[in-house]
Amino acid sequence: MTDQAHPFDLMIIQNSDKSRVLTIFDNRWGMFLFPYRKMTVIDQGPEADQKELSYVTGCLAELLHTPAHSIHAEMSLRAFTEKYSVSDKVSKLYDHRFFKVSVDNLNEEEQFELAGTKFKWWRISDLEADPDTIAHNSEIVAAVKNEVL
């Protein structure tokens, strides 16, 4: 394991009735994941969290092709998790900021595409049963279920 944590923002977007969460198809991993970006501000504290919230809102506006004012986000959890990196074949420490998000007038079809990005809505129970998610992201889904939503 390295001493430096790998910092990522995870965006947990709920549909209007809060029964499903949005994922995007990640070509590198060949599976659906929560939208994520590498953190720009790794400091801790309210000011750092607010800067990161602005960054996340901008990223989502671009990804979802929607105005930033239609995105309602709040940081709900910061967690450090050690897990095995399949791509690097070593154990790594990850620093995750989880943002709970709702978006006005977002497409709620089970699957849709925007500008070449594939999106899919999932119930948490379906993510918990999905073999790819179990293999690569079960701890993230558990944190979302138990601490974010």
Side-chain angles (χ1 to χ4, degrees):
M1 182 178 78
T2 64
D3 292 329
Q4 183 177 345
H6 299 270
F8 289 96
D9 293 322
L10 302 176
M11 297 152 236
I12 313 307
I13 304 166
Q14 292 182 287
N15 68 335
S16 59
D17 71 4
K18 302 189 183 321
S19 65
R20 299 181 295 164
V21 291
L22 191 64
T23 60
I24 59 171
F25 189 78
D26 187 288
N27 290 320
R28 178 177 178 224
W29 289 101
M31 62 182 285
F32 284 93
L33 301 171
F34 293 117
Y36 68 93
R37 293 285 185 272
K38 193 161 189 84
M39 276 185 214
T40 61
V41 178
I42 57 175
D43 297 334
Q44 295 191 43
E47 187 176 314
D49 293 344
Q50 190 58 44
K51 286 181 183 177
E52 204 64 15
L53 178 62
S54 294
Y55 167 70
V56 163
T57 301
C59 290
L60 285 173
E62 185 178 322
L63 178 68
L64 299 170
H65 299 271
T66 193
H69 67 79
S70 70
I71 298 168
H72 313 283
E74 64 182 84
M75 195 189 98
S76 59
L77 177 67
R78 187 160 187 184
F80 291 83
T81 307
E82 185 178 341
K83 72 180 228 181
Y84 183 74
S85 168
V86 176
S87 60
D88 292 333
K89 298 180 175 60
V90 295
S91 192
K92 290 184 176 181
L93 181 63
Y94 292 89
D95 175 3
H96 292 125
R97 274 188 176 105
F98 290 82
F99 292 86
K100 186 175 176 180
V101 181
S102 65
V103 181
D104 297 338
N105 303 313
L106 186 57
N107 186 333
E108 293 200 21
E109 293 176 45
E110 184 177 344
Q111 292 191 48
F112 61 96
E113 190 169 319
L114 286 173
T117 300
K118 295 176 186 174
F119 295 85
K120 183 176 180 179
W121 291 100
W122 296 76
R123 294 187 188 288
I124 292 291
S125 59
D126 293 332
L127 281 170
E128 290 174 316
D130 177 66
D132 287 334
T133 303
I134 291 168
H136 300 287
N137 268 340
S138 59
E139 77 289 342
I140 297 297
V141 172
V144 169
K145 177 182 178 181
N146 299 320
E147 299 181 64
V148 176
L149 299 180

